[in-house]
Every structure is written in C-alpha cells, then in structure tokens.
Amino acid sequence: MEALDALINRVSCPRLEGPAPTAEQLEQMLQAALRAPDHGALRPWRFIITEDEGLVKLGQLYAAAARADDPTLAEARYEKYANMPLRAPMVITVVAVTREHPKVPVGEQMISAGCAAHAITQAAHALGLGAMWRTGEMAYHPQVEQGLGLREGECIIGYIYLGQRCRERRAPQLESADFVTRWEG
Ligand SMILES: Cc1cc2nc3c(=O)[nH]c(=O)nc-3n(C[C@H](O)[C@H](O)[C@H](O)COP(=O)(O)O)c2cc1C
C-alpha cells in the first residue's frame, strides 16, 4: 500500500478475527514502532506480545482485578472482563518506559511511546491487517500492571488489538480547515 494512502485512510477495526499476524508481519509492525520520534534516543517503550493461551490469562487477570475492586461482581460481569482480550488473536501491550531526564520531560517520553503505538496501527493497516487501540480501566489497574510485570516508571499506553479485518470501514472525512489557523504575528 502506498504510504500516504495508508496514513490518510487508516481506520480502527473493532472486530478482528484470526489468524494472528505472522512473525514477519509482527516484526514489520515492531520496526515501524521503533521509528517513533524519540527525543534523546531514550527508547521509552517496550512491547508485550500476547496470543493464544496468553489472551485467556490476560482476561483472567482483568477479571480478577475487577473482582478485587468489587467482591460482589456478578458472574456475567466477571466473564465480560475475562473475554475482553479474546476480541483479537493478538494483543500488543505498549508500555511507556519513562525516567527522569534533564532535557526530556516524562510527558515527552509518553508521547514517544504513544507514537510507537500509533505506528503499530498504521503498519497494521498498511499490511492489510486490522488494529484497534484500546485502554479502559484495565490499562490503569495496579493489579493488572503488576500481573504484566510493569516496573517503576512504566505505564500502559494501550492495548493494540490485532488480527484480520472482519468488516471494511471507511475513514471519516474531516475538513482540515476546521482544525487549522494561521498565525502571522
Ligand atoms: C489512548 C487511546 C485509548 C483508546 N481507548 C479506547 C477504548 O478503550 N475503547 C475504544 O472503543 N476505543 C478506544 N480508543 C479509540 C479507538 O482506538 C479508535 O481510534 C476510535 O474508535 C476511532 O476509530 P478510528 O481510529 O477508525 O478513527 C482509544 C484511542 C486512543 C488513542
């Protein structure tokens, strides 16, 4: 796919099915992520790949966290949490790895990790795959962070759900003029 076409027409795919991206496709998406702009070359990111049984375990982690918050959680709600990661055959958890730095504020490092996450969605689109960036409460729950092995200075930027597109979506057309002004002093 032509680069500009991929950039302009990227869409998210809430519905994804197997098979998961191949090893080669995964490597291409990760290489795209590693080209995110990065002040100070701090590489403030890491990526946790989850497939197969790992997705089941991730769902159990979510459900256990939800139950820890609410011991009376109904079984249907528990199952809803447990099934969340099963909406795609692969999930990449994008983790911002931040540190105090004399020239690069933590906020900039977070932005770099966000750019890396977006690069994954763009590369997926260019490869003909589907992707959806999700967060929600389970991106910020301490029990989930611990279960995924996050360390001091790390936080989850997003879960990138990846797989084959179930349905083609067209990108919404926005007018750039609605978001642009010119400043001439
Ligand atoms: C940081 C971040 C977190 C998001 N979290 C969710 C989410 O939890 N659930 C959801 O439905 N969409 C979420 N989205 C939005 C979708 O990824 C997607 O951008 C949105 O559905 C619009 O679709 P589009 O990308 O095709 O325009 C999130 C986007 C970002 C950037």
Side-chain angles (χ1 to χ4, degrees), residues 36-45 99 101-105 108-109 112:
D38 173 17
H39 191 178
L42 298 178
R43 318 290 188 236
W45 47 57
R99 70 194 89 154
H101 187 279
K103 286 193 183 149
V104 187
E108 286 191 10
Q109 298 171 45
S112 283

Coordinates of all heavy atoms in Angstrom, one line a residue, residues 36-45 99 101-105 108-109 112:
A36 N 9.5 5.6 15.9 CA 8.7 6.7 16.5 C 9.7 7.8 16.9 O 10.9 7.5 17.3 CB 8.0 6.2 17.8
P37 N 9.3 9.1 16.7 CA 10.2 10.1 17.1 C 10.5 10.0 18.6 O 9.7 9.7 19.4 CB 9.5 11.4 16.8 CG 8.1 11.0 16.4 CD 8.1 9.5 16.2
D38 N 11.8 10.3 19.0 CA 12.3 9.9 20.3 C 13.3 10.9 20.7 O 14.5 10.8 20.4 CB 12.8 8.5 20.2 CG 13.5 8.0 21.4 OD1 13.3 8.6 22.5 OD2 14.2 7.0 21.3
H39 N 12.9 11.9 21.5 CA 13.9 13.0 22.0 C 14.9 12.3 22.9 O 14.6 11.7 23.9 CB 13.1 14.0 22.8 CG 13.9 15.3 23.1 ND1 13.3 16.3 23.7 CD2 15.2 15.6 22.8 CE1 14.2 17.3 23.9 NE2 15.4 16.9 23.3
G40 N 16.2 12.5 22.5 CA 17.3 11.9 23.3 C 17.5 10.5 23.1 O 18.4 9.9 23.8
A41 N 16.9 9.9 22.1 CA 17.0 8.4 21.8 C 16.9 7.6 23.1 O 17.8 6.7 23.3 CB 18.4 8.2 21.1
L42 N 15.9 7.9 23.9 CA 15.8 7.2 25.2 C 15.1 5.8 25.0 O 15.1 5.0 25.9 CB 14.9 8.0 26.1 CG 15.5 9.4 26.5 CD1 14.6 10.2 27.4 CD2 16.9 9.2 27.1
R43 N 14.4 5.6 23.8 CA 13.7 4.4 23.5 C 12.7 4.1 24.7 O 12.8 3.1 25.4 CB 14.6 3.2 23.4 CG 15.9 3.5 22.5 CD 15.5 3.7 21.0 NE 16.7 3.7 20.2 CZ 17.0 4.8 19.4 NH1 16.2 5.8 19.3 NH2 18.1 4.7 18.7
P44 N 11.8 5.0 25.0 CA 11.0 4.9 26.2 C 9.8 4.0 26.0 O 8.6 4.5 26.2 CB 10.6 6.4 26.4 CG 10.5 6.9 25.0 CD 11.5 6.2 24.2
W45 N 10.0 2.8 25.6 CA 8.9 1.9 25.3 C 9.3 0.5 25.4 O 10.5 0.1 25.3 CB 8.4 2.2 23.8 CG 9.5 2.2 22.9 CD1 10.5 1.3 22.6 CD2 9.9 3.3 22.0 NE1 11.4 1.7 21.7 CE2 11.0 3.0 21.3 CE3 9.3 4.6 21.8 CZ2 11.6 3.8 20.3 CZ3 9.9 5.4 20.8 CH2 11.1 5.0 20.1
R99 N 11.7 7.8 32.6 CA 12.7 8.1 33.6 C 12.8 9.6 33.7 O 12.6 10.3 32.7 CB 14.0 7.4 33.3 CG 14.7 8.0 32.1 CD 15.8 7.2 31.6 NE 15.3 6.3 30.6 CZ 16.0 5.7 29.6 NH1 17.3 6.0 29.5 NH2 15.5 4.9 28.7
H101 N 14.8 12.9 33.3 CA 15.9 13.2 32.4 C 16.0 14.7 32.4 O 15.0 15.4 32.4 CB 15.6 12.7 31.0 CG 16.7 12.8 30.0 ND1 16.9 14.0 29.4 CD2 17.6 11.9 29.6 CE1 18.0 13.8 28.6 NE2 18.4 12.6 28.7
P102 N 17.3 15.2 32.4 CA 17.5 16.7 32.5 C 16.9 17.4 31.3 O 16.5 18.6 31.5 CB 19.0 16.8 32.5 CG 19.6 15.5 32.1 CD 18.5 14.5 32.4
K103 N 16.7 16.8 30.1 CA 16.3 17.6 29.0 C 14.9 17.0 28.4 O 14.3 17.7 27.6 CB 17.3 17.4 27.8 CG 18.5 18.3 28.1 CD 19.3 18.4 26.8 CE 20.6 19.2 27.1 NZ 21.7 18.8 26.2
V104 N 14.6 15.8 28.8 CA 13.4 15.2 28.2 C 12.3 14.9 29.2 O 12.5 14.0 30.0 CB 13.7 13.9 27.4 CG1 12.5 13.4 26.6 CG2 14.9 14.1 26.5
P105 N 11.3 15.8 29.4 CA 10.3 15.6 30.4 C 9.6 14.2 30.2 O 9.5 13.7 29.0 CB 9.3 16.7 30.2 CG 10.0 17.7 29.4 CD 11.1 17.0 28.6
E108 N 7.1 14.0 27.4 CA 7.6 13.8 26.0 C 7.9 12.3 25.8 O 7.7 11.8 24.7 CB 8.9 14.6 25.8 CG 8.7 16.1 25.6 CD 9.9 16.8 25.2 OE1 10.9 16.1 24.8 OE2 9.9 18.0 25.2
Q109 N 8.4 11.6 26.8 CA 8.6 10.2 26.7 C 7.3 9.4 26.5 O 7.2 8.5 25.7 CB 9.4 9.7 27.9 CG 10.7 10.4 28.1 CD 11.4 10.0 29.4 OE1 11.4 8.9 29.8 NE2 11.9 11.0 30.1
S112 N 6.3 9.8 22.9 CA 7.1 8.9 22.0 C 6.5 7.5 22.0 O 6.3 6.9 21.0 CB 8.5 8.9 22.5 OG 9.2 10.0 22.0

